[in-house]
Amino acid sequence: MKISIGADHAGFEYKKLLIEWLKTQEHQILDFGAFSTDSVDYPDYAYPTAEAVAAGIADYGIVICGTGIGVSITANKVAGVRAAVCCNAELAKFAREHNNANVLALGARFIDFELAKSIVKTFIESEFQGGRHMIRIEKIHNLTGI
Ligand code: RB5
């Protein structure tokens, strides 16, 4: 699977560790930064990460900041992106099954790394259920024509 990933300074460490872990599972990673813990602005990293998903260059995106909130708001500005902040694996499962989320947002300051891994694993292994959920997603997209 191709996965784009981006983080601000608060998410940098988890991004680095997630990349190492995902590579051991043969996933291809597109790393959009940031590349240190120096203070940066999360939109500069979350937006291109999400754009890669919308462009079909990546299957899924992962965006990380301190809370997951800033990066999710940013990612959802990209047409065709459905970003969900998930703080446990069950939410990640529903984000995929019901919302067909294609970008996962994580708050590094609120979850430990083992939990972050289980959220990512559940997200990428869960399948969209379609049916009534598809109708709802189409309604979201029809709101803005995207
Ligand atoms: C950075 O201090 C912090 O504001 C950012 O990582 C994020 O939590 C914003 O939503």
Side-chain angles (χ1 to χ4, degrees):
M1 203 165 272
K2 280 191 187 168
I3 299 172
S4 62
I5 189 164
D8 71 358
H9 51 286
F12 167 75
E13 197 63 32
Y14 276 24
K15 176 172 73 66
K16 191 179 77 175
L17 295 170
L18 281 173
I19 289 171
E20 287 168 9
W21 174 66
L22 287 165
K23 280 184 173 172
T24 67
Q25 295 164 51
E26 313 303 326
H27 294 297
Q28 286 176 260
I29 307 297
L30 299 165
D31 185 356
F32 287 91
F35 297 106
S36 80
T37 54
D38 293 348
S39 184
V40 292
D41 302 323
Y42 55 80
D44 297 337
Y45 304 91
Y47 199 81
T49 303
E51 278 187 313
V53 177
I57 297 165
D59 300 300
Y60 294 122
I62 300 172
V63 288
I64 316 165
C65 66
T67 59
I69 296 170
V71 287
S72 67
I73 292 171
T74 305
N76 278 313
K77 293 286 185 188
V78 177
V81 163
R82 293 169 299 280
V85 194
C86 299
C87 57
N88 63 45
E90 193 176 16
L91 288 172
K93 177 175 177 286
F94 282 115
R96 289 286 311 121
E97 290 184 352
H98 287 195
N99 311 111
N100 200 15
N102 49 14
V103 171
L104 170 65
L106 297 173
R109 291 177 177 154
F110 290 86
I111 52 173
D112 66 34
F113 185 66
E114 284 308 307
L115 179 54
K117 281 200 296 186
S118 87
I119 293 169
V120 169
K121 180 175 162 54
T122 303
F123 188 86
I124 60 183
E125 289 178 358
S126 298
E127 292 291 332
F128 179 49
Q129 288 178 345
R132 68 187 191 280
H133 303 297
M134 190 66 221
I135 294 165
R136 292 160 188 169
I137 285 165
E138 281 169 358
K139 287 193 177 189
I140 295 171
H141 286 200
N142 288 342
L143 294 171
T144 53
I146 54 176

